[in-house]
Amino acid sequence: LQRKTEASDDARHQIDLDLHRTVITEKGDSPLIAPLAQVLSAYAVHNPKVGYCQGMNFITAMCLHVMTQEEAFWVLAYMAERVVPDYFSNMEGAIADKACIDWMLGISAPELSHKLEQFEGLPTIMWQALLCVFANNIVPTEAVFVFWAALFNKGRVFLVRVICQLLANCSGVIL
């Protein structure tokens, strides 16, 4: 058997598109771009069934700020394969968690839930937070790592609870 050493053309193309959307600098170049591409491509080879999906780029970029490439790779693998596996392979988990958030808000904050239904559910920023597991710069970096530690310990139900609480905390602005 020959071991595959390169990501598929589709994965490489999507990674290339997302690199500059992930790491934004004034000059348009960042020392983080090459390591980010390498980690994402390595993961696409490691798990060809999933390959590369948007959201992985933000998780990996966040990790690369404080970890080696190898450590970032294994955090991404753990996140994608153990913590939120069906977020990246087929999005069924993210869709189910969104439905759970909608249901929980319907019980705990019916006015907020009704208002969000007028906008077809979760605000875009919360949907992005769900898919990127909060690595999309809506909370400070330090908070993301504290959140991930709790997420790794408590499971993805913690992610759903946090999003519900954040929405409830912002209900005054939303309503």
Side-chain angles (χ1 to χ4, degrees):
L1 290 174
Q2 187 175 9
R3 185 173 170 101
K4 187 172 179 178
T5 59
E6 289 193 27
S8 72
D9 289 341
D10 288 341
R12 281 197 346 250
H13 175 71
Q14 193 60 51
I15 290 167
D16 289 342
L17 288 175
D18 286 346
L19 288 174
H20 292 283
R21 296 180 215 174
T22 309
V23 183
I24 301 169
T25 63
E26 287 181 26
K27 295 179 182 179
D29 195 15
S30 168
L32 206 58
I33 289 177
L36 179 60
Q38 291 170 346
V39 172
L40 294 172
S41 295
Y43 185 77
V45 170
H46 167 75
N47 190 345
K49 182 179 175 190
V50 172
Y52 168 76
C53 299
Q54 289 180 334
M56 291 178 170
N57 52 328
F58 290 104
I59 293 167
T60 304
M62 182 75 64
C63 291
L64 286 171
H65 283 288
V66 297
M67 299 175 194
T68 67
Q69 286 180 249
E70 183 177 1
E71 292 166 335
F73 171 86
W74 288 114
V75 169
L76 174 62
Y78 185 75
M79 187 84 73
E81 296 168 14
R82 303 289 173 116
V83 179
V84 288
D86 43 1
Y87 273 35
F88 300 115
S89 61
N90 56 24
M91 287 190 63
E92 287 178 0
I95 292 166
D97 285 353
K98 183 211 173 290
C100 185
I101 292 166
D102 290 341
W103 176 78
M104 288 173 68
L105 287 174
I107 292 171
S108 64
E111 290 179 24
L112 177 60
S113 177
H114 179 69
K115 184 71 168 185
L116 291 176
E117 284 174 11
Q118 293 174 348
F119 300 106
E120 298 181 19
L122 286 177
T124 302
I125 195 163
M126 284 295 131
W127 185 241
Q128 290 173 351
L130 185 64
L131 292 176
C132 298
V133 197
F134 281 94
N136 62 339
N137 298 321
I138 67 165
V139 295
T141 302
E142 298 81 11
V144 172
F145 289 115
V146 170
F147 171 78
W148 284 0
L151 178 64
F152 290 175
N153 185 37
K154 297 176 189 253
R156 70 196 248 191
V157 69
F158 182 74
L159 175 62
V160 171
R161 288 178 179 161
V162 167
I163 290 177
C164 286
Q165 188 61 54
L166 286 172
L167 287 168
N169 291 351
C170 295
S171 64
V173 176
I174 296 170
L175 296 173

